[in-house]
Amino acid sequence: MKEHFIEKTITQCRALFCIHESVIIDYKLESCSDSWGCSSQVSDTHYMIRINPGMSIRDTVATTVHEMIHVKQWLFPSHDQDDSDGEEEAENYQYKLTDILWGLGLL
């Protein structure tokens, strides 16, 4: 069931962030040390997201949004980004975007 929400979230974030369909975004439901999720850049066009399986659906979606923001940051780096690892932006928008997507019935 969580896979459905993760896949829908990735699809919606692709559209929202203008991430081309040729970019590969894989995911796994598995623990990522002591965080809710993590992401890595495998290559210029391949990204891996890991999501902790022990979370609620809302937290799973928010964590997927958070990691998709990091993918967006890798693909479209901002020269005026204040925090070098992008955590401030990802944390600031993860629940805001989750609630918007949920409220619009897109998930």
Side-chain angles (χ1 to χ4, degrees):
M1 180 169 181
K2 286 185 181 178
E3 290 89 351
H4 167 78
F5 285 100
I6 292 169
E7 291 167 10
K8 295 271 292 188
T9 303
I10 289 172
T11 298
Q12 294 302 324
C13 286
R14 271 185 184 279
L16 184 64
F17 303 146
C18 300
I19 297 173
H20 194 270
E21 63 187 31
S22 65
V23 175
I24 299 165
I25 301 171
D26 291 323
Y27 74 90
K28 291 182 184 177
L29 273 170
E30 66 181 21
S31 294
C32 189
S33 64
D34 62 347
S35 64
W36 289 7
C38 56
S39 52
S40 58
Q41 183 176 21
V42 179
S43 73
D44 288 344
T45 59
H46 186 191
Y47 300 85
M48 172 59 74
I49 294 173
R50 293 185 355 216
I51 305 292
N52 186 326
M55 298 185 294
S56 69
I57 300 255
R58 182 171 185 263
D59 288 339
T60 296
V61 170
T63 300
T64 305
V65 169
H66 179 108
E67 299 309 329
M68 285 297 295
I69 290 170
H70 288 310
V71 171
K72 174 193 71 87
Q73 292 166 339
W74 281 314
L75 287 167
F76 311 110
S78 173
H79 297 293
D80 60 6
Q81 191 169 330
D82 288 338
D83 63 317
S84 60
D85 64 358
E87 282 300 311
E88 183 179 327
E89 178 186 13
E91 288 176 5
N92 187 38
Y93 289 106
Q94 66 184 16
Y95 282 101
K96 291 175 185 176
L97 290 176
T98 294
D99 293 340
I100 290 168
L101 293 172
W102 204 282
L104 292 173
L106 299 174
L107 301 176

